[in-house]
Amino acid sequence: MARVRVLIVEDSATVRNRLRDILAADAGTEVVGEAEDGKRAIELCRHLRPDVVTLDMMLPLMSGLATTEYIMAHHPTPILIVSSSVNRGELFKTYEALAAGAVDVLEKPRADEPDEDWERRFVATVKLVSRIRVITHLRARRGALEIARGDVPAAALGPHPFRRCDVVAMGASTGGPGALIEILRAIPAGNSVPILVVMHIGEPFGAAFAEWLDGQTPHPVRCASDDEPISAAAGRVVLAPPGRHMAVRSGRLKLAADPPRHSCRPSIDVLFESVAREFGAASAACLLTGMGRDGADGLLQIQRAGGVTIAQDEESSVVFGMPREAILRGAATHVLPLGEIGPALAALARPELRPALP
């Protein structure tokens, strides 16, 4: 089997040498190039055509974000961000890079983490990311997907025979930041239902995600608070906090540090299953791009309860893992490309946009 060809982009010689040594020690990976700034990274990516790029966010000459945008627009390559960024501004740049097409993010090793544990995670993530099919990312061409923040034209809704719902639930993983932005921008401001979201993004990178998303869409976005009434979330987007499951019970949002489901906490299944129990046929849910199978069983429960269920289609998914599992289970009432999911949910979220049932 061919080895995974890796381009390391890191301005610290110490860190760069460590990453090279880790990958060189694994029989399944090969370091084909190293760059200490974004400009050189682009040159090497063009000439070497690596299978994956490991990318620091804080680089000289061109930032990690600018490097990601250029690579994904002109030389699409799976990018794994390897970063120690923890302040608000740096985290925002990480989210922007993920929305611009970077596949995943991994925190640089902490002082309290055994070297062997981090090294295993790093190599495994590099191999996983290398297998992801990426395409020219229009979001990376500056302004290409700057959708106007306003009402969606009625013609864009299409003939979806959706009915009224009282809550919308969404789950996303790899490729999720960009997908969430596109969907939420397509739902007009002033929608009347809560939008509950589970996004797989680990700590510390999830710390400011809700704040960043709030600035990208026309909707107020915040993390959930334990035991708050679901009515307080009307017209808002509410995210599960990093490291906590989110569920709806007896009209209130509940947070818990219960064991992970499918190695995920928060888990999409936990949210979807609670929505099925609490709202039944008055619910809608969509399962977006991501690895694994979290959310597939929960989406099936919502479908069996009579709710509207949507899975993102393969062509528009960065990773067709979770949606595929849902489709195989027969859990998706509709399989839609990303560009149609927002308008479809808009028809559910605003009564005046809901088409009459046939």
Side-chain angles (χ1 to χ4, degrees):
M1 182 180 294
R3 291 188 290 178
V4 175
R5 303 171 68 253
V6 185
L7 170 62
I8 298 172
V9 185
E10 168 62 60
D11 64 330
S12 165
T14 301
V15 175
R16 195 167 61 249
N17 291 340
R18 183 181 179 191
L19 298 183
R20 181 189 63 227
D21 291 346
I22 293 170
L23 293 170
D26 186 89
T29 58
E30 173 188 8
V31 176
V32 296
E34 300 175 32
E36 62 183 22
D37 62 68
K39 183 178 179 181
R40 180 61 174 160
I42 289 171
E43 293 172 354
L44 290 178
C45 191
R46 180 174 66 249
H47 291 300
L48 298 174
R49 299 293 183 177
D51 298 317
V52 62
V53 175
T54 70
L55 179 69
D56 187 21
M57 289 302 295
M58 307 303 292
L59 297 170
L61 300 183
M62 290 181 69
S63 69
L65 172 58
T67 303
T68 298
E69 290 178 330
Y70 192 95
I71 289 174
M72 296 311 298
H74 301 284
H75 313 291
T77 307
I79 294 174
L80 170 64
I81 298 171
V82 182
S83 176
S84 58
S85 301
V86 292
N87 70 50
R88 177 178 175 275
E90 292 174 1
L91 286 173
F92 276 28
K93 295 298 183 183
T94 299
Y95 306 146
E96 288 285 349
L98 290 169
V103 174
D104 207 350
V105 58
L106 183 67
E107 183 185 9
K108 288 181 180 177
R110 305 184 305 269
D112 61 346
E113 183 176 23
D115 286 352
E116 297 81 3
D117 291 348
W118 189 87
E119 290 174 5
R120 281 194 295 269
R121 285 199 298 127
F122 173 59
V123 172
T125 306
V126 165
K127 291 178 178 178
L128 188 63
V129 166
S130 74
R131 297 197 295 268
I132 293 174
R133 174 186 60 87
V134 295
I135 59 174
T136 299
H137 204 285
L138 297 180
R139 166 71 171 79
R141 297 186 186 274
R142 293 182 182 275
L145 286 187
E146 288 299 317
I147 301 170
R149 299 182 183 184
D151 286 353
V152 178
L157 296 175
H160 301 300
F162 292 154
R163 55 190 178 277
R164 180 188 180 94
C165 76
D166 295 325
V167 67
V168 171
M170 294 195 286
S173 187
T174 310
L180 288 174
I181 288 175
E182 183 162 349
I183 291 170
L184 293 174
R185 284 180 176 173
I187 300 175
N191 80 84
S192 58
V193 303
I195 300 176
L196 308 180
V197 178
V198 169
M199 170 70 202
H200 292 163
I201 184 167
E203 298 180 272
F205 295 103
F209 185 70
E211 184 182 357
W212 173 78
L213 196 60
D214 180 81
Q216 302 296 316
T217 79
H219 310 284
V221 182
R222 58 176 174 79
C223 282
S225 297
D226 187 39
D227 207 39
E228 67 173 299
I230 187 70
S231 58
R236 297 177 179 272
V237 178
V238 179
L239 271 66
R244 304 286 297 279
H245 293 305
M246 179 173 69
V248 187
R249 187 165 64 249
S250 301
R252 308 187 82 84
L253 290 175
K254 300 292 185 178
L255 302 179
D258 294 340
R261 295 271 299 273
H262 312 300
S263 301
C264 300
R265 189 175 63 205
S267 165
I268 302 166
D269 270 333
V270 169
L271 173 63
F272 282 5
E273 289 165 5
S274 73
V275 166
R277 291 191 299 268
E278 190 82 3
F279 292 94
S283 63
C286 63
L287 190 57
L288 305 173
T289 174
M291 300 179 189
R293 57 190 178 92
D294 189 28
D297 290 335
L299 197 72
L300 180 60
Q301 290 196 24
I302 291 175
Q303 194 241 33
R304 288 175 172 171
V308 174
T309 56
I310 300 171
Q312 186 176 350
D313 73 353
E314 181 174 9
E315 185 63 29
S316 67
S317 294
V318 173
V319 181
F320 191 56
M322 300 188 313
R324 177 179 182 275
E325 289 295 325
I327 294 167
L328 290 175
R329 285 164 169 74
T333 313
H334 302 271
V335 178
L336 300 178
L338 180 60
E340 293 184 20
I341 295 175
L345 293 177
L348 291 164
R350 294 188 61 181
E352 64 272 25
L353 295 179
R354 293 179 186 129
L357 288 172

